[in-house]
Amino acid sequence: MAHSIYCPNPLCQAENSVERRSCQACGTTIPHHYLWLPNPGGMTGSKTGALINDRYLVLEPQILLDTKSSHTPLFINEVDDLAIRYAELFPYRSQIPQIYGYVQLGETFYELLENNAIYPSEAATTSGKALSGHLMPEIAAVWDDAPFDRQLAWMHQICHLWQPLGRLGLTETLLRPDLVRVDGNTVHLLNLASDQTSNPALSDFAIVWGDLLNWVNRPFWIELAQKMIQGEIVNSDQILNLLDQEITMIHQSSGSKSFDIDIATLTNRGPSRSENQDACHPPSESYLKLRSGDHPWLLVCDGIGGHEGGSLASKLAITAIEQYLTITDLNQCSSEELESHLEKAIFAANDVICDRNDRENRQAKQRMGTTAVLVYVRRNQLFVTHVGDSRAYRMTHSGCRQVTVDDDLASREAIYGSAFYREALQYPGTGALTQALGMAGSTQLQPTTQRFWLTEACVFLVCSDGLSDFDLVDRIWANELKPVLRDRTQLFNACQNLVNLANEQNGHDNVTVGLLHVMPATASAPTVSTVATQVAVARTAPRPPLVSATRIAPPPRRSHWLPITLLGLALLGLCGGLGFAWWRSRIVVVPKPIVTPTVAAPVAPIDPQQLQQVNQILQIKPGPVPLSIWPKPTPSQEQLSVDKVGYLAPGTIVQVTDQLTSDVPENWLRLKICSVPAEAQGLSEAVLTPGTEGWQTLSTIALQVTLPNPLTATQLGTCALNPIAPPSPTVVNPTDSPTPLPAPPNQAQ
């Protein structure tokens, strides 16, 4: 039976054959979302070609196609811990899949994953063979044929994920070779797996991966495996440092590669705006041909703040960042130091705009600000630092991926596990920014920096939301940017085409486009000859191993050296363990006396009884979740169906005006906003203003409030003075509050 895919245009909704990429009736691009069903038990009785829930077409076992992508996916109220972990890892979504929605099979609901290790729509080999909808190859299937620099890039990405996965009890994912897939020089995880044992160690990683990846073929991998097994390397940071050193050695050696880099920029006011508040560097209408030794950089800013404010802020940001990069020597510093310098350049721009706001006494929504996306190339690495919702995308023949995560409320809801990203997008106000340059001091600013390895031809698109809104980039990239990968002379023409399409199909804002084309001068992109798990990569000529002065001599090259070594170590460990157990049984253990440590006493929590007192004055502190309030006490499973009143910015002063201790599972408090700190005013429409009231649970409030010292009349604002004398503010230290998982500072690709 032939199935249809439906046009996403709400005014059309025409049926089309599944193979079509644009609607035969209206010409709208039809997105093809290929989804992974991680629980194979859910496919029992479902055959290839079946249609599940009148929506999802089964292409292969566990691979489904959404035929009604314009419809909101199904979400459920009760989700398990693993589902929440996906949301908490949202900052890593370019490598870790995210929950797209749920499918109901029988009486059970199963999660569907997007951003997975399935080739996306329009993916193809360099020769044009289609890959869309097929699994990317396992890393073990392509390791032997990959150049050494690509192996280093893969391992850097895997080790960078070790710590965030470990914090959430998901290290088992990296010990499952079938879950680690690759596309070019990028690692993608198929799905997450919970740890079956407590705290897997790097030695476990070396044992699992050592023989599988044939590490004996290169001395560097032999040394790395030995150090992990013998306990000389105990954390992923040590591995990342060694990988960085090795990649630097490769670049400094005679075999290092150079790059041809082209940059084109264009900005436009758009059809509906009276002025252009966007800005870019190089200036609009630039077309530059560079080499990697020139350290090219690209910057796009989208101004915020009313007439003349936004345009001034974006120009100030570009000038400040250019000055910082000009006077700072970024050639000799390490990769980590370079990342720090790029963030300092962002801070410098923020300080300049904040100083201008303060001098002109701009308050709340009058404060001007700007987003920023900064791309910097040095040697064989490309760095992306961003603040706000302007975006960066990375494109190769095998797909287009957004590599930045918007600093908006929808992303924050996902990161803090309050809602899945696609779910949060359905609620009003979730597109509001959570941070931008110029709105608050640099101590409150958190730019995100990522690192990408340049081992294949690619194009980086940096743009303002005039282009990226409504998923326009995902819909047009194949037609507009794939030709640039084949012919880089089309770069500036592509800029013009993207601006024209943004004005025609979005048209609500200014639009700025920056394109950076990278072509390794002595390398070409891999050609994928088969789908599923086999990838043919042209073998490179063997080159002498790069051995550092401290590297140990490699053992004889026998294919089973590593397993034999591991077996010997295991036997030694077993013998030692048995001997220790016998010795332990022969002695009497005298318990050590309990000694009080000579460190400062821990901070005591706030007494919940004190928080519940009506008229109590509280101050909101930074916490793991943006503290929201609701119009009425609402059971947790119903909250997503009720619009929040809004969010309480850190530093906000509130007063407890009522409480509810019955009829609901938890105690609820009603809060009235007394005052909001100046730096938070106007930051987002969702940030509440003085006089607003709403409800929140006592357990949630207790985690994100402190009892302030006696307050000024300005801080008390709309509230009456609390007759209860608050205790010393040293009871709770705002810096002790938990913080959310940060976005990856060194995400290599």
Side-chain angles (χ1 to χ4, degrees):
M1 176 181 177
H3 293 285
S4 300
I5 189 168
Y6 293 83
C7 175
N9 184 343
L11 301 179
C12 179
Q13 297 285 296
E15 293 187 35
N16 294 267
S17 64
V18 172
E19 294 76 20
R20 288 195 64 88
R21 302 296 172 180
S22 61
C23 178
Q24 59 186 351
C26 69
T28 300
T29 302
I30 301 176
H32 284 59
H33 295 297
Y34 299 105
L35 309 173
W36 176 251
L37 184 69
N39 190 330
M43 296 302 296
T44 303
S46 299
K47 299 180 180 179
T48 300
L51 193 65
I52 299 176
N53 292 178
D54 193 35
R55 175 171 183 169
Y56 299 105
L57 178 63
V58 180
L59 300 180
E60 296 181 19
Q62 298 180 253
I63 299 180
L64 283 66
L65 171 66
D66 186 1
T67 64
K68 298 179 179 178
S69 60
S70 63
H71 296 189
T72 302
L74 171 67
F75 293 98
I76 59 178
N77 292 327
E78 299 295 334
V79 298
D80 57 22
D81 289 340
L82 184 58
I84 296 175
R85 297 295 179 263
Y86 278 104
E88 291 174 336
L89 290 165
F90 184 76
Y92 302 81
R93 70 172 183 165
S94 62
Q95 293 178 291
I96 295 177
Q98 293 295 304
I99 292 182
Y100 180 85
Y102 283 80
V103 61
Q104 184 175 7
L105 298 169
E107 299 297 323
T108 307
F109 295 93
Y110 297 92
E111 65 265 19
L112 296 170
L113 302 181
E114 62 176 333
N115 295 328
N116 45 48
I118 300 173
Y119 283 111
S121 178
E122 305 293 349
T125 66
T126 53
S127 61
K129 185 174 182 178
L131 296 173
S132 303
H134 295 283
L135 283 174
M136 296 173 184
E138 296 181 19
I139 188 173
V142 296
W143 180 269
D144 286 346
D145 290 319
F148 183 42
D149 56 352
R150 181 164 294 179
Q151 292 177 347
L152 290 169
W154 288 339
M155 195 54 58
H156 194 285
Q157 294 168 73
I158 292 172
C159 292
H160 183 69
L161 293 174
W162 183 271
Q163 189 175 20
L165 290 176
R167 284 200 299 264
L168 298 176
L170 301 169
T171 311
E172 184 79 18
T173 307
L174 300 180
L175 301 181
R176 290 267 306 275
D178 60 306
L179 299 182
V180 182
R181 307 274 173 151
V182 292
D183 170 27
N185 64 355
T186 308
V187 169
H188 297 281
L189 301 184
L190 191 56
N191 55 258
L192 300 176
S194 299
D195 291 346
Q196 302 301 310
T197 58
S198 61
N199 300 324
L202 287 172
S203 57
D204 300 316
F205 178 82
I207 292 172
V208 169
W209 287 88
D211 192 51
L212 180 69
L213 297 184
N214 197 19
W215 282 3
V216 298
N217 280 351
R218 189 171 290 273
F220 176 81
W221 298 123
I222 296 174
E223 178 184 357
L224 189 65
Q226 285 179 330
K227 288 184 176 181
M228 284 191 284
I229 294 167
Q230 296 170 0
E232 296 180 42
I233 293 178
V234 295
N235 61 63
S236 57
D237 287 341
Q238 293 174 283
I239 302 179
L240 293 173
N241 288 334
L242 290 173
L243 294 171
D244 284 339
Q245 293 173 17
E246 192 70 15
I247 204 72
T248 300
M249 290 173 59
I250 289 178
H251 179 80
Q252 294 174 347
S253 70
S254 58
S256 63
K257 299 175 182 177
S258 59
F259 299 88
D260 295 325
I261 298 175
D262 295 357
I263 295 178
T265 58
L266 187 62
T267 185
N268 186 271
R269 185 186 66 187
S272 62
R273 293 299 177 96
S274 60
E275 66 170 338
N276 190 355
Q277 297 190 350
D278 289 3
C280 58
H281 177 93
S284 180
E285 302 186 22
S286 295
Y287 182 33
L288 308 177
K289 291 181 175 292
L290 306 163
R291 300 283 290 180
S292 58
D294 296 327
H295 299 325
W297 59 282
L298 171 64
L299 175 63
V300 166
C301 294
D302 182 357
I304 305 166
H307 180 63
E308 293 187 352
S311 58
L312 177 58
S314 59
K315 292 179 175 63
L316 288 174
I318 287 179
T319 300
I321 291 173
E322 182 176 20
Q323 289 177 348
Y324 185 93
L325 296 180
T326 300
I327 65 175
T328 306
D329 183 7
L330 302 178
N331 192 43
Q332 301 302 322
C333 60
S334 67
S335 296
E336 288 187 356
E337 291 170 340
L338 177 56
E339 291 174 1
S340 177
H341 280 303
L342 296 179
E343 292 179 358
K344 288 178 180 178
I346 295 292
F347 292 144
N350 184 70
D351 292 340
V352 168
I353 301 171
C354 281
D355 289 345
R356 184 68 172 262
N357 279 329
D358 294 340
R359 289 200 310 271
E360 298 178 0
N361 197 29
R362 294 175 179 255
Q363 301 295 328
K365 293 183 179 181
Q366 294 180 345
R367 290 182 74 85
M368 58 183 175
T370 183
T371 68
V373 183
L374 171 62
V375 174
Y376 189 91
V377 180
R378 189 184 69 166
R379 297 196 287 268
N380 51 2
Q381 295 178 337
L382 181 145
F383 300 81
V384 178
T385 300
H386 90 280
V387 170
D389 63 353
S390 296
R391 293 180 178 177
Y393 296 81
R394 179 179 180 271
M395 279 145 284
T396 65
H397 288 281
S398 60
C400 169
R401 296 266 183 171
Q402 178 184 337
V403 297
T404 54
V405 174
D406 295 347
D407 290 321
D408 61 10
L409 291 177
S411 298
R412 179 178 285 185
E413 289 283 290
I415 293 170
Y416 297 156
S418 302
F420 300 118
Y421 182 69
R422 285 192 177 272
E423 185 180 20
L425 289 176
Q426 307 307 313
Y427 299 99
T430 51
L433 292 180
T434 55
Q435 63 172 357
L437 302 187
M439 296 301 181
S442 292
T443 57
Q444 300 183 44
L445 196 66
Q446 294 182 322
T448 301
T449 303
Q450 302 175 74
R451 189 192 317 180
F452 301 86
W453 305 94
L454 303 179
T455 66
E456 61 182 331
C458 59
V459 173
F460 279 83
L461 162 65
V462 183
C463 63
S464 61
D465 59 359
L467 174 64
S468 62
D469 276 352
F470 308 111
D471 298 324
L472 183 57
V473 173
D474 297 318
R475 291 189 277 118
I476 65 176
W477 80 272
N479 289 334
E480 303 303 326
L481 292 173
K482 263 194 172 183
V484 176
L485 287 166
R486 295 188 293 268
D487 181 7
R488 71 193 212 206
T489 62
Q490 299 299 313
L491 197 68
F492 189 74
N493 290 338
C495 270
Q496 292 177 315
N497 293 340
L498 291 174
V499 169
N500 292 337
L501 286 169
N503 287 335
E504 293 170 5
Q505 300 191 32
N506 285 345
H508 62 286
D509 202 354
N510 313 139
V511 56
T512 300
V513 173
L515 291 176
L516 187 148
H517 182 280
V518 179
M519 173 61 75
T522 58
S524 59
T527 300
V528 184
S529 59
T530 61
V531 298
T533 60
Q534 295 184 355
V535 174
V537 182
R539 289 182 177 271
T540 58
R543 54 185 177 180
L546 301 172
V547 183
S548 66
T550 59
R551 186 158 301 149
I552 60 173
R557 291 194 175 187
R558 296 195 296 267
S559 61
H560 297 291
W561 166 83
L562 188 56
I564 294 174
T565 301
L566 299 178
L567 178 61
L569 291 172
L571 290 175
L572 287 174
L574 178 61
C575 293
L578 292 174
F580 175 80
W582 174 84
W583 170 79
R584 187 88 163 82
S585 66
R586 303 290 295 174
I587 64 174
V588 177
V589 179
V590 179
K592 293 182 179 180
I594 299 176
V595 179
T596 302
T598 57
V599 296
V603 176
I606 299 177
D607 183 0
Q609 294 296 325
Q610 191 171 9
L611 293 182
Q612 296 182 77
Q613 297 178 23
V614 174
N615 294 327
Q616 177 65 270
I617 298 291
L618 306 170
Q619 184 172 26
I620 308 302
K621 66 177 183 178
V625 179
L627 188 61
S628 57
I629 55 177
W630 304 87
K632 61 181 180 179
T634 308
S636 58
Q637 64 269 23
E638 300 177 9
Q639 286 182 358
L640 290 177
S641 63
V642 178
D643 289 340
K644 299 179 179 68
V645 175
Y647 294 88
L648 304 177
T652 297
I653 303 297
V654 299
Q655 184 177 38
V656 178
T657 60
D658 197 1
Q659 61 175 307
L660 182 64
T661 58
S662 60
D663 300 327
V664 287
E666 295 185 84
N667 292 350
W668 283 74
L669 301 181
R670 186 168 67 185
L671 304 177
K672 176 183 178 182
I673 299 180
C674 307
S675 64
V676 178
E679 61 268 18
Q681 296 176 14
L683 182 60
S684 165
E685 293 181 359
V687 173
L688 298 175
T689 55
T692 308
E693 294 192 44
W695 294 83
Q696 183 53 272
T697 60
L698 173 63
S699 58
T700 300
I701 293 172
L703 294 174
Q704 288 189 228
V705 297
T706 183
L707 302 176
N709 277 320
L711 302 171
T712 64
T714 300
Q715 289 176 304
L716 282 172
T718 62
C719 299
L721 184 63
N722 181 8
I724 302 172
S728 167
T730 59
V731 173
V732 174
N733 186 346
T735 61
D736 293 334
S737 61
T739 56
L741 290 176
N746 299 310
Q747 184 181 352
Q749 294 196 20

